[in-house]
Structure formats: structure tokens, C-alpha cells
Amino acid sequence: MREFDFELALCAHLEREGRLVSRQLGGAVHGRRVLDTVVVEPGPELDERAAITPERLPTAAIESDVGPGRARYWKDAFDCHPDRAERAVKLAAERGFFERERRGGRTYVRQTTRYPDWFGEIVAIENKPDLSRPGDLESQLRTDVSLALANRVVLATASYVTGAHLNRIPEEVGVWRFDADSGTIDVRREATPLSTDDAGVELLAERPVQTDVQMVGASEKARARRQLAERAYGKGWRSFDYPACERCSPDSDGIPYCQWKDRAVRESDDCGPDCGGHEAAEPPAVDGDSLRAERTPWRADPDGRRRRQSGLDRFG
């Protein structure tokens, strides 16, 4: 089974269990690492987060000195480049996290609600359906474990898992054998909880005689975890385009299934006029937001937390 097909099938399975699932997210602090699948477990105030916006909240707005009390002049509330602060104010206001008002030609901002404690554990899943072609699997998993940005790290595969496979990857990594046809997971090894509250070590590069690493402090890691959770909340896992082809028939999970190839297809790689089965048509209409909202605590169209006050959001 191809990795793209496997990844979408696993995401759909996890989402059907009510979990917040995303895919292809940056999982590094200073280096480069893309996590195949990310599962964000709900925290105690997920409903409060869901009520604000279905989109990602900008990090600069969350970290600013803007609160839900008295409005502040926006330039005094940010410790970052003014251009980044201005973009954050704009996005936070558009997404219902900030309210703005004008006084004497200046923009003042306040939060519509405090930023909630909305996420719990984060699980990072590396998808490798065929363990006979591991690539940089061991190095990737060692990076995830030593950095400990996620609470747990899991390897998901379709292959038969041997003791030799288990011995070649860090012992903290959990191992799932996932059968996409039956939608079942056989847990071959439970993942060990990682120390997400402590400092971590990020692997930046490996060479034959040298390995470059960087320490990541606890506060820096907490910030990166919040960014990761926000990106996962805003993106979800149906971030792909659907092929403009008559033979694309999405299944009940919204996975782009091709009748001609008899498998899931990635529009950017598998489809187009060069394909022998291509029949030009409008891309199929799939309401992925509705599917996600039906199955998880994520809300596609929340009421928001904006308060009705005189003078707010007036710009002359």
C-alpha cells in the first residue's frame, strides 16, 4: 500500500473515533521535520476553543499582552516585529479572538475571551506502511523522541512487525500495525510517555563523523507545542485537492478514490491529462468540514465570543 493511501486511511480511522487529526505538520523547533500524522487529544476547555473560530489562531496574538479586560494600544502589546504584530492583530480580529476600536486615530485591541487550556496529549505518528523500505526512519524517530514535542510517538505500518524491526527503533516509540481494509489497529508495542515539560534535544543534522544537535528549553518547547496544536486544529487532514476527473469518486470519509486506478489518488502526482483514465470534469464537491464536525469536537461554524460594545471594529 502506498504511503499516501495508508496515511489517509489511518487519519479517517482515527477521526471516526472522535479524535482531532491532522497531517503533514512541521514538528521541529530549529530544524526541519514534518510529522506525517498528528493527533491532538481534547483538553478541559476544548469547547471554549471551538467556540472562537475553526481556524488557527496566530501565535503572536496568543502570546501578546492583550487580555480580555481594558483595550490596549496594539503596538504596546507585542514583543515582535511590527509587521508580524500587525498581521496577528488583523487575523485575530477576523477570527474572533480580538476586538478592535479606534481612539484618536489609534487602534486598540482586547481579547474577546482568554486563550483556553484546550488541548491535552499530542501524539505524533510516523507512517511507514512498508518496513522493507525504511528510509531515514530510525533517525526521524530518534529526533522525535529526544525532542519530545509530542507526548507520545508512534510508528504505524501495514507490514508484519518482527522483533528485529522493534529493536531497530527507539524503545519509547509505540508500534501499530494498521489494516486499512478492516480499519483495525494491532498495537505491537505501547508508546512510552515522553517528558514534554522538560528541555529537549533536537537533532539537526547527521554526518559520518559528526551529529549536530541543539538544546530546546522547556518554555520554547511549550510554545512549539501550542503552535503545533493550533495548526492541527485549523488544518485538519483533508488538506489535499480533489482531481478534476469524472472517475474520482470520494468515499464516505472524503478520501479521493479513483475508479480507474482502483485506489486513492493524490491529485498533484496521479491525475491529469497524461493519465490514461482521465475524463475531464469538475472536481467532486466534498464537504470535509461537515464530516469533521460530525465526528470530532471541532466546530465548523461557531457562534464566536465577540462582545457587542459601542465603538468596536469601527474604522474611519
Side-chain angles (χ1 to χ4, degrees):
M1 190 176 198
R2 301 184 321 157
E3 189 164 321
F4 178 72
D5 309 30
F6 181 86
E7 184 168 292
L8 297 194
L10 179 59
C11 287
H13 172 79
L14 295 171
E15 185 183 69
R16 286 194 296 271
E17 295 181 338
R19 300 179 180 184
L20 292 170
V21 184
S22 191
R23 52 182 290 272
Q24 298 298 304
L25 296 176
V29 179
H30 300 288
R32 295 182 178 180
R33 175 74 173 107
V34 176
L35 302 175
D36 289 339
T37 302
V38 174
V39 177
V40 181
E41 300 290 355
E45 297 177 337
L46 177 58
D47 287 345
E48 289 297 310
R49 173 62 185 86
I52 300 171
T53 177
E55 300 177 275
R56 177 184 66 86
L57 291 174
T59 298
I62 296 169
E63 296 178 345
S64 71
D65 288 331
V66 178
R70 181 170 58 87
R72 297 193 62 188
Y73 177 46
W74 73 275
K75 287 186 177 180
D76 293 340
F78 289 84
D79 184 20
C80 61
H81 192 281
D83 289 347
R84 182 169 179 244
E86 192 169 16
R87 287 194 299 271
V89 167
K90 182 176 183 293
L91 280 177
E94 289 175 351
R95 296 174 183 178
F97 186 52
F98 278 6
E99 295 171 325
R100 298 178 288 185
E101 61 180 276
R102 297 284 282 184
R103 300 180 197 164
R106 285 184 163 193
T107 299
Y108 288 73
V109 291
R110 66 162 59 88
Q111 289 180 357
T112 59
T113 183
R114 66 177 179 81
Y115 185 74
D117 179 18
W118 70 268
F119 65 92
E121 281 201 347
I122 297 175
V123 182
I125 303 172
E126 179 69 16
N127 298 314
K128 193 64 66 175
D130 185 359
L131 290 180
S132 68
R133 303 171 62 186
D136 294 330
L137 179 63
E138 184 179 352
S139 175
Q140 291 168 335
L141 293 174
R142 280 196 292 109
T143 299
D144 296 340
V145 168
S146 64
L147 177 58
L149 202 60
N151 297 80
R152 290 180 289 145
V153 175
V154 169
L155 167 65
T157 183
S159 297
Y160 178 74
V161 181
T162 67
H165 289 135
L166 297 177
N167 291 334
R168 281 197 292 267
I169 63 174
E171 62 182 8
E172 297 89 346
V173 176
V175 180
W176 295 350
R177 189 181 186 196
F178 174 61
D179 186 325
D181 292 330
S182 65
T184 57
I185 293 177
D186 175 21
V187 179
R188 293 300 314 277
R189 185 167 75 190
E190 292 284 357
T192 301
L194 303 176
S195 300
T196 55
D197 293 335
D198 299 329
V201 179
E202 185 168 19
L203 176 64
L204 301 180
E206 281 188 299
R207 293 182 286 277
V209 295
Q210 181 177 332
T211 300
D212 297 333
V213 301
Q214 182 163 344
M215 292 297 297
V216 178
S219 60
E220 192 176 19
K221 193 161 73 172
R223 181 175 185 266
R225 279 171 51 80
R226 187 174 60 237
Q227 284 182 316
L228 180 60
E230 277 291 334
R231 287 171 182 158
Y233 189 87
K235 183 179 181 182
W237 63 271
R238 296 178 184 86
S239 53
F240 45 81
D241 293 324
Y242 287 91
C245 178
E246 184 68 32
R247 300 197 184 205
C248 179
S249 300
D251 66 10
S252 59
D253 295 308
I255 295 175
Y257 180 81
C258 174
Q259 298 172 343
W260 191 70
K261 289 186 169 72
D262 193 25
R263 59 173 172 80
V265 289
R266 192 200 304 262
E267 186 269 343
S268 59
D269 296 341
D270 300 319
C271 306
D274 293 339
C275 172
H278 180 70
E279 295 183 10
E282 290 295 316
V286 177
D287 191 349
D289 285 353
S290 291
L291 287 172
R292 191 182 186 201
E294 288 171 4
R295 299 173 179 184
T296 76
W298 180 85
R299 288 162 60 181
D301 188 23
D303 294 334
R305 292 299 191 212
R306 188 179 305 279
R307 293 173 295 182
R308 302 301 178 190
Q309 295 188 22
S310 174
L312 298 179
D313 288 326
R314 285 195 322 213
F315 292 85

